Amino acid sequence: RTHVVRLANMYSEEQVQLYERGYGKDPAGLAFEAIKYAKERRYDVVLVDTAGRMQDNEPLMRALSKLVALNNPDLTLFVGEALVGNEAVDQLVKFNQSLIDNSSASAGTKSVIDGILLTKFDCIDDKVGAAISMTYITGQPIVF
């Protein structure tokens, strides 16, 4: 909730409409409701930000795959920290594989990431190779 309050204080409702319904709810269903809400109001863009997911936490990764399968997003981005180096490569590979495995089982289609967003990229020095590996392994660009 802290981030929602912060965002609400930074932007007026005319600039950014936040759809927040608290914790403990099904992320896939909540995203579905938010997209429906946005369509009814003719918004062009809906950004769904999920809680951080540990790539080895199977229930969380299944929930993420369900979110993607149910809502069929136009764009799915992997967000990771550039500072963690090769650990980010491992996170990305497992994240992407989980999307492939779980979405194909539930929706009959395979879903993969469309791009990579790396935070703290301005702070890295010798860990830049991990970013190159991420694009090579997935074939997807770093979008920011």
Side-chain angles (χ1 to χ4, degrees):
R1 276 206 197 259
T2 302
H3 301 298
V4 172
V5 170
R6 222 179 260 158
L7 283 170
N9 289 332
M10 289 174 58
Y11 300 99
S12 70
E13 264 193 47
E14 292 82 34
Q15 291 174 302
V16 176
Q17 179 73 47
L18 299 175
Y19 188 88
E20 189 271 333
R21 299 298 183 258
Y23 293 105
K25 298 185 175 56
D26 173 39
L30 189 59
F32 186 83
E33 292 172 15
I35 293 166
K36 180 180 172 189
Y37 177 87
K39 284 180 182 177
E40 290 169 355
R41 286 156 184 76
R42 298 180 182 218
Y43 294 140
D44 295 324
V45 176
V46 176
L47 176 66
V48 177
D49 181 21
T50 64
R53 311 257 175 212
M54 290 302 298
Q55 71 272 19
D56 293 327
N57 188 320
E58 187 63 29
L60 287 179
M61 293 309 296
R62 274 196 314 269
L64 181 63
S65 296
K66 177 183 173 189
L67 187 149
V68 171
L70 177 65
N71 294 290
N72 193 27
D74 295 323
L75 185 67
T76 302
L77 298 175
F78 170 81
V79 179
E81 280 191 17
L83 285 176
V84 298
N86 286 328
E87 174 65 18
V89 176
D90 182 52
Q91 291 171 356
L92 173 61
V93 167
K94 290 180 178 175
F95 176 84
N96 205 35
Q97 192 60 50
S98 179
L99 285 179
I100 292 167
D101 293 346
N102 294 309
S103 66
S104 62
S106 63
T109 59
K110 293 189 183 260
S111 178
V112 295
I113 64 156
D114 300 302
I116 303 160
L117 192 149
L118 289 176
T119 64
K120 302 176 185 170
F121 201 76
D122 59 329
C123 301
I124 63 170
D125 46 24
D126 61 338
K127 295 181 177 118
V128 71
I132 295 167
S133 295
M134 294 170 89
T135 60
Y136 179 77
I137 288 168
T138 63
Q140 300 301 334
I142 296 175
V143 295
F144 188 80

